[in-house]
Amino acid sequence: MNRPNELTATEAAGRIARGELTAEAVARACLERIAEREPDVQAWEFLDRDHALAQARDLDAARAAGRGTGPLHGLTVGVKDIIDTADMPTQHGSPIYRGRRSNRDAACVAALRDAGAVILGKTVTTELANIHPNRTRNPHDLARSPGGSSSGSAAAVADHHVHLALGTQTGGSVIRPASFCGVYALKPTLGLISRSGVLLQSHTLDTVGVYGRSVEDLGLVTDCLTARDPDDPAGYPRARASLLELLREEPPAAPRFAFVRTPAWPEAEPAAQAALEALAARLGEQCREESLPPPFERILDLHRTVMAAEDLAYYGEHLERTPELLSDELRKRLEAARGIPAAQYIGALNARKYIHHDVDALLTRYDAILCPASTGPAPAGFATTGSAIFNGLWTYLGVPCVSLPLLTVNGLPMGVQLVGRRGEEGRLLRTAHWLDRWPDARDD
């Protein structure tokens, strides 16, 4: 039988609900795994063993007293260190914020606690969730990158430190680490999960996402995080439906996939291209290759423009006040952004609605777009966290994306990315669940 920390979140939740496991037993198993592996993986920025166990004991006591339990009761969660926690420091991966503490939880963390989760600790992020790598290593090969900027969150789930974790994505910082580390991830529609209490670098791109070890895990945790927050201007009205229930439904027909060689396709490694093409071929009539109209060819540059301009707006004060505390990479990126004309930035924002219209039209005929989650498996060394070129275009459009660990390239995991329509996480996860269970999905 698997140790409690090796279970999926949904498996662990079921065993806790049936009284087969306690929250304390689950937390201890996770902490034992961290003690064993953290010197190598280095996924954690802050971890307090006693505090984690105290949270678990409180949950067990509440249950013993007959008080209600939430859907995440006793499950362990890692929180990216740009997301505020009232009881732990939030230091944004930067010496500028060393020792910083917030007096309140981010809205998403508060929702996790309300659902009964144990916030085990804060996971490592890159500097200000941007370009400069941090110390986390890939659990599959310690000489390789786990991706960025949600590196610690992806590595912690992959290495069985926690059942679930939160990340954020401005370019590819949820999906790419999932691909490299071989875990499941959802970057939802912009605004589905509140960003209140989360460090912003781009108000039109930043999206809170989730990691788990199954598609069901993604539905379970996202269901707890989707209440609209009036303090987040990206939030939007939506009907409250259970994603977990929706994804467990059988599709009315076998899903249809649009295989799209995006403008990023030439950047993929040949072996990664071959793996995606082989999957598309195995899907047969359920998968057709499609292209998008010419404006889509500009999407990579449009995303870069928006991200650079908004990065400068949020981080420019650090360039003025404490440039010596910025990495060379981030300082150069911010300095270069000063040359972006306002008209170019506004034009890049306005182009989004036209390109989105074309993508939306395609997705009226298909259940999901099929494309790589990364340019290939995790790169060797730590000079870079890898390219986000297969992710930023979808982040720019604000559409939901899932990474499924279905492929192996050169002996390492690589994710398949599915892209859905804005606001249709249920349909996307149901399609992902179907593909994840399809006998010929994996290439091993």
Side-chain angles (χ1 to χ4, degrees), residues 29 36 127 129 218 339 350:
E36 174 189 349
E127 174 196 26
L218 303 180
N350 290 339

Side-chain angles (χ1 to χ4, degrees), residues 291-313:
S291 59
L292 286 158
F296 192 69
E297 297 302 314
R298 301 173 50 222
I299 196 168
L300 299 176
D301 287 336
L302 294 169
H303 171 262
R304 290 188 191 105
T305 295
V306 172
M307 183 171 173
E310 294 185 357
D311 272 8
L312 181 63

Side-chain angles (χ1 to χ4, degrees), residues 23-148:
E24 184 176 355
V26 170
R28 285 190 180 279
C30 291
L31 291 166
E32 287 169 4
R33 176 64 174 176
I34 292 170
E36 174 189 349
R37 289 282 289 170
E38 178 62 7
D40 291 328
V41 177
Q42 301 180 68
W44 296 93
E45 186 64 38
F46 179 86
L47 189 72
D48 184 332
R49 175 184 173 87
D50 291 340
H51 181 56
L53 291 173
Q55 293 178 68
R57 291 188 192 108
D58 287 345
L59 288 168
D60 287 336
R63 180 174 181 178
R67 295 197 287 275
T69 59
L72 304 183
H73 183 89
L75 300 183
T76 57
V77 183
V79 175
K80 183 177 180 178
D81 193 36
I82 66 163
I83 302 173
D84 282 347
T85 41
D87 53 353
M88 305 173 191
T90 305
Q91 303 178 102
H92 305 322
S94 169
I96 296 171
Y97 292 96
R98 186 170 291 126
R100 176 187 175 274
R101 285 182 175 265
S102 173
N103 59 8
R104 59 184 298 183
D105 285 333
C108 54
V109 173
L112 291 173
R113 294 194 203 272
D114 287 346
V118 174
I119 308 301
L120 208 66
K122 305 301 285 289
T123 55
V124 169
T125 181
T126 60
E127 174 196 26
L128 298 173
N130 206 278
I131 190 173
H132 187 60
N134 211 317
R135 64 182 181 275
T136 304
R137 303 296 184 248
N138 192 308
H140 295 275
D141 182 344
L142 297 174
R144 293 179 181 268
S145 171

Side-chain angles (χ1 to χ4, degrees), residues 8 10 182-185 212-218 247 251 255 257 279 283 286 370 402-407 414-416 418 428-444:
T8 68
T10 46
V183 294
Y184 296 78
R213 289 200 286 273
S214 71
V215 177
E216 289 185 328
D217 287 1
L218 303 180
L247 73 86
F257 301 88
L279 174 59
L283 283 163
Q286 288 177 247
L370 176 75
V402 172
S403 183
L404 303 176
L406 300 180
L407 303 179
M414 192 187 93
V416 171
L418 299 183
L428 178 63
L429 288 176
R430 184 176 65 187
T431 301
H433 195 224
W434 181 93
L435 183 60
D436 189 54
R437 294 178 298 151
W438 185 54
D440 295 326
R442 286 166 174 79
D443 59 1
D444 49 22

Side-chain angles (χ1 to χ4, degrees), residues 44 76-80 83 112 121 123 150 152-158 162-168 174 184-186 208-213 218 221 225:
W44 296 93
T76 57
V77 183
V79 175
K80 183 177 180 178
I83 302 173
L112 291 173
T123 55
S150 306
S153 289
V157 172
V162 283
H163 299 101
L164 303 163
L166 296 184
T168 64
V174 169
Y184 296 78
L186 169 67
V208 176
V210 297
Y211 291 102
R213 289 200 286 273
L218 303 180
V221 66
L225 298 171

Side-chain angles (χ1 to χ4, degrees), residues 192-262:
L192 181 71
I193 300 175
S194 172
R195 302 171 301 176
S196 297
V198 178
L199 177 73
L200 283 185
Q201 61 175 310
S202 170
H203 61 282
T204 70
L205 300 173
D206 287 342
T207 309
V208 176
V210 297
Y211 291 102
R213 289 200 286 273
S214 71
V215 177
E216 289 185 328
D217 287 1
L218 303 180
L220 174 69
V221 66
T222 305
D223 274 341
C224 301
L225 298 171
T226 57
R228 187 185 182 192
D229 180 2
D231 291 333
D232 184 350
Y236 57 92
R238 62 266 190 177
R240 197 67 189 273
S242 170
L243 296 176
L244 185 58
E245 291 179 6
L246 282 171
L247 73 86
R248 284 173 170 169
E249 293 177 358
E250 286 298 321
R256 289 175 52 80
F257 301 88
F259 177 35
V260 176
R261 299 176 197 263
T262 72

Side-chain angles (χ1 to χ4, degrees), residues 412-425:
L412 293 165
M414 192 187 93
V416 171
Q417 184 171 209
L418 299 183
V419 180
R421 297 176 75 181
R422 281 194 295 203
E424 293 193 1
E425 278 76 10

Side-chain angles (χ1 to χ4, degrees), residues 342-355:
Q344 181 180 336
Y345 168 63
I346 297 300
L349 290 177
N350 290 339
R352 180 185 283 129
K353 61 184 176 182
Y354 301 109
I355 299 175

